[in-house]
Amino acid sequence: MGNTFCGVCACIDQASIGVIERWGRFERLAEPGLHFFNPFLGQWLAGVLSTRIASLDVRIETKTKDNVFVQMLCSIQYRVVRAHADDAFYELQNPREQIQAYVFDVVRALVPRMSLDELFEQKGEVAKSVLEELEKVMGEYGYSIEHILMVDIIPDTAVRKAMNEINADRNSIHTDWMYGNGVRLTAQRLQLASVYKGEAEKVLQVKKAEAEAEAKYLGGVGVARQRQAITDGLRENILNFSTKVEGTSAKEVMDLIMVTQYFDTIRDLGNSSNNTTVFIPHGPGHIRDISDQIRNGLMEASSANLVNVD
């Protein structure tokens, strides 16, 4: 049931208190219940105030000691004091604007003395300071400040991004607080993030270069072993053929092996799944040229070995 009134009576509900005037002058407070007035004597109900707890959210933008802009969301819970409801009714026209102005004044005087990290650590102290100031001021106007909560502290977007990069690159950034180094400025935070990122890229580049060098080395070892195996196989085939087939020379055996290898290579090219057009000279004369080139290479290698031995 809400407040109801007419010209000669009024019913004030439990969560409200009325203000009665006589000929435009305050006479008394009307407690919850039914009240009668004598309009012929100038009595009337000037207004009704709610005694419920009201909530006011104030968003303040200010700057910390280390030049970081932050937004603070402060929630104030207040109510009208029944015994001083006349002061609340007559003294303040807009109590919400008055409370907001004092919150601005206290926060903007206190926060610039703190660094960003100190603000996060001591936000309870900031709320306590605001509460003490508001209680002292608003108590004179018939209002009681019940609670003040610092709901949120939001740094500037650039600062949040820098802090997130530092935390992502090196979670141990919090050790700075233990050694009392204080809070770095926004530029220092960004610089640290860049340094950590650069170190990570450097390690990746070094590891990549080492992997490429190792791969090339192992590839060279593989090619050398492959060529050595081919050479050993050819030598063994020549010796076996010369021993088992009488009257054959090493040159004839080499020519036969080269012809066999030549046709095997052409067969492999034709059976490859990734067929491409390859133009190669073909004919008995060209096969002889290939065998002569290989034989000359082997003879030059043997001559070089004899010179080194001497």
Side-chain angles (χ1 to χ4, degrees):
M1 180 178 179
N3 297 298
T4 58
F5 57 92
C6 61
V8 295
C9 66
C11 183
I12 309 298
D13 67 11
Q14 183 62 40
S16 302
I17 190 166
V19 178
I20 300 176
E21 293 181 350
R22 185 172 184 178
W23 302 118
R25 183 176 180 180
F26 171 74
E27 184 178 47
R28 62 185 174 86
L29 295 174
E31 295 291 336
L34 181 63
H35 297 269
F36 291 93
F37 312 106
N38 188 346
F40 298 103
L41 297 178
Q43 285 185 337
W44 71 297
L45 183 65
V48 177
L49 292 176
S50 174
T51 57
R52 292 186 176 93
I53 294 178
S55 179
L56 173 63
D57 292 333
V58 182
R59 185 177 292 272
I60 314 112
E61 184 174 7
T62 184
K63 185 177 69 171
T64 62
K65 185 178 180 180
D66 45 357
N67 296 321
V68 177
F69 283 91
V70 296
Q71 287 189 358
M72 302 180 64
L73 183 59
C74 182
S75 180
I76 300 101
Q77 297 176 351
Y78 65 98
R79 71 191 309 170
V80 174
V81 180
R82 285 184 176 272
H84 303 285
D86 53 330
D87 292 332
F89 185 78
Y90 290 105
E91 295 295 333
L92 290 180
Q93 182 176 4
N94 193 329
R96 296 174 68 89
E97 290 185 0
Q98 188 77 8
I99 292 174
Q100 182 173 324
Y102 278 105
V103 172
F104 281 165
D105 182 67
V106 174
V107 171
R108 288 177 175 171
L110 187 61
V111 172
R113 303 175 188 173
M114 300 180 177
S115 63
L116 180 60
D117 288 349
E118 290 173 347
L119 177 60
F120 276 101
E121 294 174 358
Q122 303 178 21
K123 68 175 184 178
E125 295 297 325
V126 177
K128 183 179 178 181
S129 299
V130 176
L131 177 62
E132 293 175 353
E133 184 66 21
L134 285 180
E135 283 182 338
K136 180 174 62 177
V137 175
M138 299 303 295
E140 300 177 359
Y141 299 115
Y143 285 91
S144 171
I145 307 300
E146 301 296 324
H147 299 285
I148 291 182
L149 300 173
M150 286 297 169
V151 179
D152 200 2
I153 299 174
I154 307 173
D156 186 73
T157 305
V159 178
R160 295 202 306 270
K161 182 178 179 181
M163 293 174 68
N164 290 335
E165 289 182 359
I166 292 176
N167 292 332
D169 291 331
R170 181 169 291 181
N171 293 327
S172 61
I173 190 64
H174 297 290
T175 55
D176 290 354
W177 297 340
M178 293 188 293
Y179 289 98
N181 291 334
V183 182
R184 292 173 174 81
L185 302 179
T186 303
Q188 291 174 327
R189 295 177 186 271
L190 291 173
Q191 183 180 4
L192 273 177
S194 299
V195 169
Y196 298 149
K197 186 176 181 180
E199 288 294 333
E201 291 179 353
K202 177 182 176 181
V203 172
L204 289 176
Q205 292 295 332
V206 171
K207 293 299 181 182
K208 183 178 179 181
E210 291 177 353
E212 290 179 354
E214 184 69 16
K216 291 179 179 179
Y217 170 76
L218 294 176
V221 171
V223 171
R225 290 178 179 177
Q226 180 186 19
R227 291 176 178 175
Q228 182 64 39
I230 293 173
T231 303
D232 293 341
L234 290 174
R235 182 184 300 109
E236 184 178 354
N237 288 335
I238 291 172
L239 293 175
N240 289 337
F241 200 89
S242 300
T243 303
K244 294 180 180 180
V245 181
E246 297 180 356
T248 57
S249 64
K251 179 179 181 300
E252 292 173 345
V253 175
M254 191 66 185
D255 290 341
L256 179 60
I257 293 174
M258 289 303 303
V259 171
T260 303
Q261 293 292 331
Y262 177 77
F263 283 108
D264 287 343
T265 303
I266 294 177
R267 182 192 60 192
D268 292 338
L269 287 175
N271 293 333
S272 176
S273 59
N274 299 323
N275 289 326
T276 56
T277 302
V278 179
F279 295 96
I280 58 174
H282 181 68
H286 292 102
I287 297 175
R288 183 176 297 277
D289 292 339
I290 295 173
S291 63
D292 291 341
Q293 292 176 12
I294 295 175
R295 185 169 52 255
N296 292 334
L298 293 175
M299 293 176 63
E300 291 177 0
S302 299
S303 300
N305 292 332
L306 292 175
V307 172
N308 293 331
V309 172
D310 293 339

